[in-house]
Amino acid sequence: MFTGFGDAAVDFYEGLEADNSKAYWSDHRHLYDEHVRAPMQDLLLALEPEFGEGRIFRPYRDVRFAKDKRPYKTQCGATAGPHYVQLSADGVMVAVGYYAMVPAQVARYRAAVDDERHGPELEGIVAGLHDDGFTVAGDRLKTRPRGTDPDHPRLDLLRHRSLYAWQSWEPSDELHTPALVERIATTWRRLDPLGRWLDDHVGVTLDDAAQDVRRRR
């Protein structure tokens, strides 16, 4: 049963931001396990009946090809399908969407955006989320996709190579209470039209997953 994140959760990440070292991690690993990871597991279990099984991302960064060699992530992120939740020193962030898409997914996405029925549907979803205070983001081309009409009515959406919407809340007493479950669930429900549109028109296939694995190696 989720009772809230531990009292030391935010302090743990503030310390990790200041000292992202193996020594800090080893000395404070018990705080991560007790105040961050275990509550995150309970949170996902509380959300699972409505949103499906969740998965917590590993706390270690892949630094093999990165200029930034800090070994540990300064947030605990988890997913349940297209739904995302993250805890860090800045509080809680929730999102829905596709954070990264392989080329085949991008092609399907742009074909759907260009479609005169599906494209305006996404345009309306995004506009509604903007109006409700959500941030719509994603990797985007600085110019337009090759062969696209410069006057295309949904040119801004066609530039996207990934698409998601998010909202965050600063640390507060709510972070340490069961009430956080319903706040996250309510936000995910509001974001669900975006997730459903992406699932319906972009989706993930076994080929896409294989491409993604090769790309991340």
Side-chain angles (χ1 to χ4, degrees):
M1 181 176 180
F2 180 75
T3 58
F5 286 102
D7 293 338
V10 173
D11 291 341
F12 168 78
Y13 278 115
E14 287 179 343
L16 187 61
E17 287 184 354
D19 181 10
N20 198 308
S21 68
K22 185 175 181 180
Y24 176 89
W25 181 263
S26 298
D27 289 345
H28 298 83
R29 175 63 187 262
H30 65 286
L31 296 179
Y32 168 79
D33 289 336
E34 298 171 18
H35 293 254
V36 178
R37 184 176 176 81
M40 182 66 84
Q41 289 176 324
D42 291 340
L43 175 66
L44 294 176
L45 286 173
L47 293 162
E48 184 175 331
E50 182 174 353
F51 299 100
E53 184 178 0
R55 179 177 70 90
I56 300 175
F57 291 119
R58 62 200 302 268
Y60 312 104
R61 298 183 63 248
D62 184 353
V63 299
R64 291 173 297 173
F65 308 108
K67 292 182 179 179
D68 182 354
K69 297 299 182 181
R70 291 178 299 170
Y72 304 104
K73 297 175 183 177
T74 54
Q75 71 282 333
C76 179
T79 58
H83 308 91
Y84 179 77
V85 58
Q86 172 182 294
L87 172 70
S88 70
D90 296 325
V92 174
M93 189 266 275
V94 293
V96 168
Y98 285 21
Y99 184 76
M101 293 192 286
V102 300
Q105 289 175 302
V106 174
R108 293 196 295 270
Y109 165 79
R110 289 183 175 150
V113 172
D114 187 49
D115 183 269
E116 287 307 318
R117 183 162 56 98
H118 304 313
E121 179 187 2
L122 177 62
E123 194 172 32
I125 291 170
V126 168
L129 292 175
H130 274 303
D131 291 344
D132 286 348
F134 289 92
T135 300
V136 177
D139 181 37
R140 299 169 71 247
L141 294 172
K142 293 182 179 180
T143 58
R144 65 182 187 275
R146 184 176 301 174
T148 301
D149 187 335
D151 296 322
H152 195 290
R154 293 177 294 282
L155 180 58
D156 188 62
L157 286 173
L158 286 169
R159 288 192 176 109
H160 278 266
R161 291 182 290 203
S162 63
L163 183 67
Y164 58 95
W166 63 272
Q167 192 172 72
S168 62
W169 315 303
E170 294 181 355
S172 68
D173 291 342
E174 184 184 44
L175 184 67
H176 311 291
T177 70
L180 188 63
V181 174
E182 184 55 33
R183 186 171 190 185
I184 292 171
T186 299
T187 307
W188 277 355
R189 291 181 198 118
R190 178 62 188 89
L191 289 167
D192 265 346
L194 176 61
R196 285 194 297 270
W197 190 95
L198 289 167
D199 285 345
D200 289 344
H201 303 295
V202 179
V204 179
T205 67
L206 290 177
D207 287 343
D208 296 332
Q211 287 184 48
D212 193 38
V213 168
R214 289 194 295 270
R215 189 178 60 165
R216 291 171 184 268
R217 284 178 177 170

